[in-house]
């Protein structure tokens, strides 16, 4: 079953009617975040039905003990796990002594809305108790993009058919267990609690990693429009602080609580200051007041949307979907902190230990690079630069030496968080993506200085890895790379995965090229780095030899590169001929059957053609697309976007649109039956790419920016903006043609469908 | 560190001196068993130091919940685990109120002996307490080969320098946890307890599987030579019954307890009768008395040794080792019960869920077939026959159909107990071993009727599997088998493993051959079976086609079959060039490094040459041996024996001897640093093969038995006996020549070193 209950709307995500079966899915879909923290859309009040409570703080992790079937040397003993954080959103509600709990009340007119324009989550409903008491409830919640350590909730209750006592019991609770814990251990220790006035604070510490977090709340009570003072009752435990405020309310009157809350944490402040800072932030928020804080929220998001928005006319579900993707990416990562990254589930769940995959380098960097200033992408690169030592250690564990680095498959702190040998040890193409991202960044931004300041060290360490990992085949008289898993994880431990071999060759050549560049243009940096990493000429010669003699599996018969050695031994039956009942194959087939089948989980050879499109000609791309696409089952969220982009390139707009649909509403329509676990954040960047690089045809090679806009039949028009170096360019496309507007103060040269165009500052070009 | 503390002796395993670091290793090495039950050599009295307490009952298992890293479709959710059983050997000992505990006393003159002639474990020591009290202790224990549900212990204490109160507290305890449990669950439920006179019984039931076991004890007290009656005190819990007997003993007098104990279980008796049967057996044992029971034990073992013994003169460690291997095999499996099998750890530990590997078919059957009557080997075949339905189910889970069977990698009840995809789903050559064992049995015993009565169904189901598992490669225009793991588990998910392809082809051809045989000689059975399995001619044609067009990777350059596709892409550096510090590679290298290396864990292509030695010529064997042996690291206990046998065949006696040493003292010298977990029972059969098929050169093809005896330089002579059809033949070899003695009443024709010889009944031939 696809859930498919979200109402279409240009700017909003809307759920209408109360359905217990949608609760955990909606908790994911309506998640909110501000880059520093985030939370699932759990109810503030008690809910005794099935729910997955989750709040997360950027950068806070716990080294959970590894759990595997059969231990292999090189597996990490511990690995970083996304940590479910203390709860500050909770507000118990009692009506004449009865707990408000949507699982037990009769619920009428339930509506949940997430306004993507400003990141405000609201919920309204009428609840009827067994004894006939009826209340109307409205809650509004957001995490401030302006004061990143603060969130605010306004929660109002109106008795409809009675006069009675209403109590709010706002609380903070650090007694939180991870949903995803290997041994059901508790990951937090409580250090201190502080109660003062209408505020409360709990200082807690993660076990082992020793992160300190102060969770705070500050409450205000309002009767109709007026703030009121109420005596609080306190009922705390060793892990939580609960305040309780009650008052008599007349039928039709509205009793509200405004709760400010959030976290301060030791990555950002001295340990001893955490509670003081938290208090200052909450007081600041409260002094501004809920409405002013909300105004600032509107402005912050307006600024984001100004460059990031994509408008699609004529297809409201496509419009809603692309905005949802852009919105989630911006909630997850704001780009201001190079210690953070984009987790595959963002702040919406905790599946998969660790938070950083090669998704960041391959998919997310282009999105952030084009919609934010270049420091955001740079911070993502620096994140990896800062983890280079750990990547070198990781390679050492696997038997590499002399400063060779292998970046982990997934990580939080630079250490490997994955342990299936065929992935952890063998899916090494990820290492190439690290270098590709540097190339991509420098190519797009022109910031060559980054190579000198940071990039070169990473590039050298990775070139070293590839030259050691390749071995000379006396049989083939070429260098081979044995025992790898490519991006297509439906093949394991194969020899000579074309994508991996190609990336390896390219990385070594790119390393040599940049060493030359540094020698010439940044001689001091060259000397500094060569000394630091003890670079010698002979190893550069080795890279050159290994790259130059790299083997690529090729079929004369089909005139295509083979995904790996022996690929043609498979029975090449197109995926469309598989019975529906056997799809998706990863849920229906045993692993060995998947492995010996020709079916491709996600772009593999085609991922290489996407990365290095400038090197392969159009005819070659067509041949490879026609050979591999029919065998591709797209059971990774990262697959359709690449196919969509390439399909546009070879003028298959219908195919591109089909692929676009698969990527853009993956979570809203719950294609993979797993949205309750959280959203697929990183693949959302792929959706953005499908429009900008796909339909928009944006490319950037050799300091030249080009477009080749196409439009799907059933759209009226679409438009997007990109930031390119010092320029902001707005692109509009409809069936008549396209328009380019240069928002910046200097002219910009672009190529549109092969034709060079100069757009003057603040000028519009119609083509 | 190799432990290497066992004293050499022709017939005994001896440990002298008390060393706490040897306790868990000795508990394994001195294990005793009688085919129905077995136990580690735990002390009877309290021991508070490091110990691994283990008692096991043949056939009793528990379906433990699976634990894996990343779940794959087709993994079993539950699997059978060897169950640690209630303890009946325990005897608490207190001296003037002080517990006897070797972990806290001063221990003098400690000696432990396992007499392999009769399976008696004895232990003697002098213990001095802190307060100066000194006692001498002697314990003797065995599990009756005669009454398989009973064991007996005689435990004596003599005060040396004091007069005082000595108490024995014999107990039975069903409150046992498995050492190897995935979720630390308790696997036993207690149903009933019974105390009567000096006897006690606990009836317990395994959770889920519902096996009932009655654990009983019966005690007798002896002062010096005389039985005495003592009042018992009872202190029981819900899971155990403890009796306590005390008396005053003079210095120099000996107070002894004889404890009979053991199990009756629901596989052998009606549930309601278990405690009655147990009581009858214990009373019977007690009426016979300890000494008579011991005499019967001597006789039972004498009979076993009469046919199974191998004598080696001039090399006492080799002599001790081969007897240890033969002794353990006989302790583990007596052959009388087709529901039992030979676990890799026998009754000496519980590592590895399940108990039956392809080790049974490939290594153990030849041992039992040649040293026992043919029903023993037949029972091992029937074990698999009885599990055919489960093997068909198992294949269905992986997507096979029409009665194709895949036997599990390891099992207890026919269900798969392994879950690493590269093994469970891919190490499918095991399926060929099932058929090879049938062929081997029929070939050796001449019992062709077994094909008609049982074998054919298994052979057909496995031929079906292979024909479905092979796929046609349009590229090679031959059938290929993709995505397998061969016997060399240091390669995973390879294409066209030569051994697997060869075995597959052979199985299908053997199926066709036997269908013809049945049609001709057993037409009624043919019709019955063809109907039962809905056999049709077209599938037989398919087998013929697939077998006939099977692809085998081959190197023209080396004129050898390749272990798998692409093997020559590896860097073929001989294992002897690896630094010692990197051996064994499975402890020093990461898994990916092992996989892409050329190193072979155990015979793979050579395993095929061993099985089908009659098909390949001597020159071909030499070429393959010379190519693969230098790359073989023998990190499986099953590897050296095959190499030893083949080395003799190509006249490399020194190499064969080197390999023999690796296999024969594996546990006694703890080569792999893991003897504390239990012994390597199944590979012990390989040691026997190294002598009989290796040095002795015994072969049996086409109803012709042949020998080609060779002898290592440093042995004076060796001899062994084999049972071949109706004959018992004794073989003696020294440096002068060899002798064959025909113990049976009819003449036998054999071939010795190429020369045909008839040995008349009760006659000796000297060559």
């Amino acid at each position: 079953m696809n859930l498919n209950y979200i109402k279409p709307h240009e700017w909003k995500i809307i759920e209408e009617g109360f359905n217990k079966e949608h609760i955990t899915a909606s908790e994911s879909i309506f998640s909110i975040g501000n880059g520093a923290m985030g939370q699932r859309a759990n109810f503030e009040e008690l809910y005794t039905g099935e729910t997955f409570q989750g709040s997360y703080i950027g950068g806070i992790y716990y080294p959970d003990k590894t759990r595997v079937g059969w231990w292999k040397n090189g597996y990490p003993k511990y690995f970083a796990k996304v940590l479910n954080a203390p709860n500050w959103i909770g507000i118990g509600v009692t009506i004449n002594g009865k707990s408000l709990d949507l699982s037990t009340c009769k619920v009428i007119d339930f509506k949940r809305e997430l306004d993507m324009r400003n990141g405000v989550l609201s919920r309204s409903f009428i609840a009827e108790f067994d004894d006939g008491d009826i209340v109307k409830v409205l809650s509004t919640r957001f995490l401030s993009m302006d004061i990143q350590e603060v969130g605010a909730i306004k929660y109002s209750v109106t008795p409809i058919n009675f006069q009675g006592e209403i109590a709010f019991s706002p609380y903070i609770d650090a007694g939180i267990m991870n949903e995803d814990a290997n041994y059901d251990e508790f990951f937090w220790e409580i250090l201190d609690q502080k109660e003062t006035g209408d505020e409360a604070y709990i200082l807690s510490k993660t076990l082992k990693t020793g992160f300190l977090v102060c969770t705070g709340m500050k409450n205000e009570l309002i009767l109709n429009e007026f703030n009121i003072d109420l005596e609080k009752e306190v009922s705390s435990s060793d892990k939580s602080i609960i305040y309780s405020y009650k008052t008599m309310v007349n039928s039709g009157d509205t009793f509200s609580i405004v709760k400010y809350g959030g976290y301060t944490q030791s990555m950002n402040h001295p340990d001893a200051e955490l509670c003081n800072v938290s208090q200052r932030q909450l007081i600041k928020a409260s002094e501004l007041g809920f409405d002013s804080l909300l105004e600032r929220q509107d402005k912050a998001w307006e600024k984001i949307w100004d460059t990031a928005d994509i408008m699609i006319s004529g297809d409201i579900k496509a419009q809603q979907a692309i905005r949802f993707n852009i919105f989630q990416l911006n909630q997850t990562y704001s780009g201001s902190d190079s210690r953070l990254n984009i987790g595959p589930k963002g702040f919406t769940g905790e599946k998969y230990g660790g938070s950083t995959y090669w998704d960041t380098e391959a998919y997310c960097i282009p999105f952030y690079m084009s919609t934010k200033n270049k420091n955001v992408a740079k911070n993502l690169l620096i994140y990896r630069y800062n983890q280079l030592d750990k990547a070198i250690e990781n390679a050492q564990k696997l038997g590499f030496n002399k400063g060779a680095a292998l970046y982990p498959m997934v990580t939080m702190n630079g250490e490997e968080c994955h342990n299936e040998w065929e992935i952890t040890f063998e899916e090494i193409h990820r290492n190439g993506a690290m270098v590709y991202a540097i190339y991509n960044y420098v190519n797009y931004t022109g910031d060559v200085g980054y190579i000198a300041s940071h990039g070169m060290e990473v590039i050298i360490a990775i070139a070293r890895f590839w030259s050691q990992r390749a071995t000379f085949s006396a049989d083939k008289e070429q260098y081979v790379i044995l025992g790898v898993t490519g991006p297509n994880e439906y093949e394991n431990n194969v020899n000579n995965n074309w994508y991996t071999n190609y990336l390896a060759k390219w990385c070594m050549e790119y390393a040599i090229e940049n060493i030359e560049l540094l020698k010439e243009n940044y001689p001091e940096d060259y000397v500094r780095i060569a000394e630091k990493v003890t670079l010698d000429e002979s190893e550069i010669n080795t890279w050159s030899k290994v790259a130059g003699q790299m083997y690529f599996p090729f079929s004369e018969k089909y005139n295509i590169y083979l995904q790996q050695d022996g690929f043609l031994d498979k029975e090449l039956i197109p995926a469309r001929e598989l019975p529906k009942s056997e799809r998706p194959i990863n849920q229906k087939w045993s692993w060995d059957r998947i492995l010996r089948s020709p079916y491709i989980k996600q772009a593999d050879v085609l991922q290489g053609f996407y990365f290095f499109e400038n090197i392969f000609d159009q005819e070659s791309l067509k041949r490879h697309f026609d050979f591999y696409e029919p065998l591709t089952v797209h059971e990774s969220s990262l697959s359709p976007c690449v196919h969509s982009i390439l399909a546009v390139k070879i003028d298959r707009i219908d195919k591109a649109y089909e692929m676009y649909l698969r990527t853009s509403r993956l979570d809203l329509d719950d294609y993979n039956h797993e949205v309750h676990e959280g959203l697929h954040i990183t693949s959302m960047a792929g959706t953005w790419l499908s429009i900008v690089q796909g339909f928009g045809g944006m490319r950037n090679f050799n300091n030249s920016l080009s477009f080749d806009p196409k439009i799907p039949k059933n759209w009226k028009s679409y438009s997007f903006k990109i930031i390119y170096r010092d320029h902001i360019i707005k692109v509009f496309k409809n069936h008549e043609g396209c328009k380019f507007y240069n928002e910046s103060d200097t002219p910009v040269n672009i190529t549109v469908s092969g034709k060079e165009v100069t757009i003057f500052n603040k000028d519009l070009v119609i083509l």
Side-chain angles (χ1 to χ4, degrees), chain A residues 51-321:
Chain A
T51 169
F52 166 13
Q53 301 281 315
S55 298
Y56 308 96
I57 306 173
I60 303 285
Y61 66 89
Y62 180 80
D64 202 11
K65 260 184 293 175
T66 296
R67 185 166 134 188
V68 294
W70 216 264
W71 184 265
K72 304 275 202 291
N73 289 324
Y75 281 161
K77 288 195 176 138
Y78 293 89
F79 58 73
K81 191 153 267 185
V82 170
L83 252 195
N84 209 331
N87 175 347
W88 66 259
I89 65 158
I91 302 171
V93 179
T94 46
I95 313 289
N96 282 329
K98 307 175 295 277
S99 274
L100 177 63
D101 172 3
L102 295 199
S103 180
T104 58
C105 293
K106 185 173 167 196
V107 184
I108 307 149
D109 262 359
F110 180 90
K111 184 170 183 181
R112 174 146 45 179
E113 264 190 23
L114 175 59
D115 191 334
M116 298 186 284
R117 264 172 311 206
N118 58 6
V120 172
L121 170 65
S122 60
R123 189 163 53 102
S124 61
F125 58 87
I126 291 167
E128 181 178 351
F129 289 85
D130 282 351
D131 63 3
D133 284 357
I134 298 178
V135 291
K136 188 172 183 323
V137 173
L138 177 65
S139 90
T140 307
R141 185 162 103 207
F142 61 93
L143 302 184
S144 173
M145 297 293 275
D146 185 52
I147 311 177
Q148 285 201 315
E149 289 164 332
V150 169
I153 303 167
K154 185 169 186 181
Y155 194 101
S156 306
V157 178
T158 308
I160 299 295
N161 61 349
F162 66 95
Q163 178 199 34
E165 188 194 69
I166 297 180
F168 288 129
S169 306
Y171 61 90
I172 49 179
D173 178 11
I176 299 296
M177 296 282 286
N178 251 44
E179 277 277 315
D180 181 21
N182 284 341
Y183 295 90
D184 291 335
E185 290 171 329
F186 191 72
F187 297 159
W188 291 94
E189 178 191 0
I190 313 302
L191 299 185
D192 200 10
Q193 303 195 353
K194 181 177 159 192
E195 296 160 20
T196 169
D198 295 310
E199 302 158 26
Y201 302 90
I202 297 179
L203 186 66
S204 57
K205 186 167 125 177
T206 59
L207 292 169
K208 294 184 190 164
T209 34
F211 289 107
L212 263 70
V213 168
C214 176
T215 307
M217 69 170 173
K218 178 167 173 46
N219 307 300
E220 294 169 5
L221 288 310
I222 301 167
L223 191 58
N224 296 323
E225 314 281 274
F226 304 101
N227 280 31
I228 54 171
D229 280 331
L230 290 173
E231 275 302 300
K232 69 168 194 262
E233 279 173 38
V234 181
S235 58
S236 304
S237 75
D238 56 336
K239 292 179 176 165
S240 64
I241 301 174
I242 308 170
Y243 287 173
S244 193
Y245 305 93
K246 41 179 115 139
T247 189
M248 289 300 292
V249 182
N250 288 322
S251 179
D253 282 358
T254 298
F255 182 38
S256 305
I257 177 168
V258 173
K259 184 180 185 189
Y260 302 99
Y263 312 106
T264 50
Q265 55 129 316
S266 54
M267 285 168 71
N268 301 323
H269 307 285
D271 291 359
E273 286 298 304
L274 287 176
C275 288
N276 295 336
V277 177
S278 181
Q279 186 169 32
R280 282 204 299 274
Q281 298 284 47
L282 294 182
I283 289 172
K284 183 178 165 192
S286 146
E287 281 173 358
L288 279 167
F290 189 83
D291 295 337
S292 299
L293 207 58
L294 186 50
E295 269 174 44
R296 290 180 174 214
Q297 181 79 349
D298 292 345
K299 284 200 185 118
W301 272 102
E302 198 182 326
K303 205 175 148 200
I304 292 169
W305 284 115
D306 182 53
T307 46
D309 192 24
I310 291 181
M311 277 178 273
I312 297 173
S313 170
D315 187 343
I316 191 167
K317 290 186 92 174
Q319 173 67 78
Q320 182 182 40

Side-chain angles (χ1 to χ4, degrees), chain A residues 381 384-385 388 403-405 407 431-440 442 448 450-452 454-467 504 506-515 517-518 529 533 535 539 543:
Chain A
L381 297 183
R384 295 290 191 178
Y385 175 80
L388 179 58
Y407 278 89
N431 227 18
M434 306 299 134
V435 179
Y436 184 81
I438 295 170
Y439 153 79
N440 203 3
V442 173
V448 182
Y450 182 77
I451 301 281
H454 300 83
M456 195 73 241
E457 290 175 50
V458 172
I459 297 166
I460 289 171
I462 289 175
R464 284 170 165 174
F465 171 83
W466 288 120
S467 75
W506 174 83
C507 284
M508 288 182 278
E509 288 172 347
Y510 188 65
I512 296 167
E513 183 185 311
N514 279 291
I515 286 171
L517 178 115
L518 256 59
I529 293 166
V533 306
L535 186 70
E539 67 176 321
W543 304 345

Side-chain angles (χ1 to χ4, degrees), chain A residues 638-672:
Chain A
L638 298 167
S639 187
C641 55
V642 172
H643 285 79
S644 184
I645 294 166
L646 295 178
V648 175
K649 167 100 188 200
I650 57 174
D651 229 13
R652 311 244 175 105
I653 308 299
D654 288 350
K655 184 76 191 173
Y657 183 66
E658 175 201 331
M659 291 290 121
Y660 173 78
L661 286 185
R662 280 189 83 130
T663 174
S664 69
R665 291 188 67 89
L666 176 69
D667 288 320
L668 287 178
D669 293 344
D670 196 17
Y671 274 104
N672 289 356

Side-chain angles (χ1 to χ4, degrees), chain A residues 656-699:
Chain A
Y657 183 66
E658 175 201 331
M659 291 290 121
Y660 173 78
L661 286 185
R662 280 189 83 130
T663 174
S664 69
R665 291 188 67 89
L666 176 69
D667 288 320
L668 287 178
D669 293 344
D670 196 17
Y671 274 104
N672 289 356
H673 318 301
E674 57 183 21
V675 74
H676 57 279
E677 294 173 350
L679 305 175
H680 296 83
I681 299 297
T682 48
S683 73
M684 293 178 172
T687 306
W688 180 89
L689 288 171
S690 305
I691 296 206
V692 174
Q693 299 188 348
F695 298 121
M698 182 181 87
R699 295 292 186 281

Side-chain angles (χ1 to χ4, degrees), chain A residues 613 645-646 649 693-694 697-701 704-707:
Chain A
E613 202 192 299
I645 294 166
L646 295 178
K649 167 100 188 200
Q693 299 188 348
M698 182 181 87
R699 295 292 186 281
N700 173 59
F701 291 116
S704 159
L705 185 71
S706 64
F707 297 88

